[in-house]
Amino acid sequence: MESSAEEYAAFEQKVGRTVYFDNLGPQVTESVIRTALDQFATVKSVKFIPNNIGPTYLPQCALVEFDSAKKVKEVIAMIGQYPFMMSGMPRPVRARHAVMEMFDDRPTKPDRKLKGRWLEPSDPDFEVAKELKNLTRKHAAEIEFLHNLLQKEEEKLFKQQEDTLKVHYKKFKMIEGIMADRTAHRLARMYNLPVAED
């Protein structure tokens, strides 16, 4: 009994050092997360939460354990204050404190008493359970619909960013070209304007 109490206390400390990140792009990996977050604090572990309700293109979620609970507050405050993106996705990452229910390997609370049972159709609670099951399916469908809308908006934003980048690159190449062939210098002399040599 004492060892299970110690195990649960250690788990509570682990939860206190962990941040829940969501809205991560599908291509974000553990090494990407470690590289992005090591600038804030030492990352002890990264665990992705599997998506069991929808398609694989939905945003990912991860539990990231840091070396101290103090760093957790700093990381959450920093990411909440500034848009923080990983892998160049136009999708700001969100962060909040992890809670025990997010861990699938959580130990049983030492003094917890919980009993489960199967419901038969004749049971008075059967209809309530059936309604809860249908409500869960409805919520899953709504979540998938909202994620589809979000993905379309992100794709649109990504396209806008890509087009803007191409325009800036084209301008840069044009400026580089007129500097290289001395056109800028000739125009500067013609209009009596100063031009930097570099």
Side-chain angles (χ1 to χ4, degrees), residues 112-168:
R112 184 177 180 200
K113 303 278 189 271
L114 183 67
K115 292 181 181 177
R117 65 186 174 93
W118 290 103
L119 293 177
E120 298 295 330
S122 58
D123 194 296
D125 293 329
F126 183 80
E127 286 303 317
V128 175
K130 193 174 174 183
E131 282 180 32
L132 286 173
K133 185 178 178 182
N134 290 335
L135 189 61
T136 303
R137 286 182 178 158
K138 180 182 173 189
H139 285 174
E142 288 171 352
I143 288 168
E144 185 176 347
F145 175 76
L146 289 172
H147 279 302
N148 286 337
L149 285 179
L150 180 65
Q151 186 182 17
K152 285 177 185 172
E153 287 177 16
E154 287 171 355
E155 286 170 357
K156 185 179 173 185
L157 179 59
F158 179 74
K159 180 79 172 75
Q160 288 172 348
Q161 289 176 342
E162 192 177 39
D163 292 344
T164 303
L165 188 65
K166 284 177 183 174
V167 168
H168 288 309

Side-chain angles (χ1 to χ4, degrees), residues 48-91:
F48 285 96
I49 299 174
N51 169 24
N52 297 318
I53 61 163
T56 54
Y57 62 77
L58 295 179
Q60 296 188 91
C61 306
L63 293 168
V64 180
E65 183 186 356
F66 292 97
D67 56 345
S68 77
K70 183 182 175 187
K71 293 291 184 183
V72 164
K73 292 178 183 174
E74 293 174 13
V75 169
I76 291 172
M78 184 68 70
I79 290 176
Q81 192 174 2
Y82 303 104
F84 189 79
M85 297 178 208
M86 290 188 196
S87 289
M89 287 294 291
R91 169 186 282 148

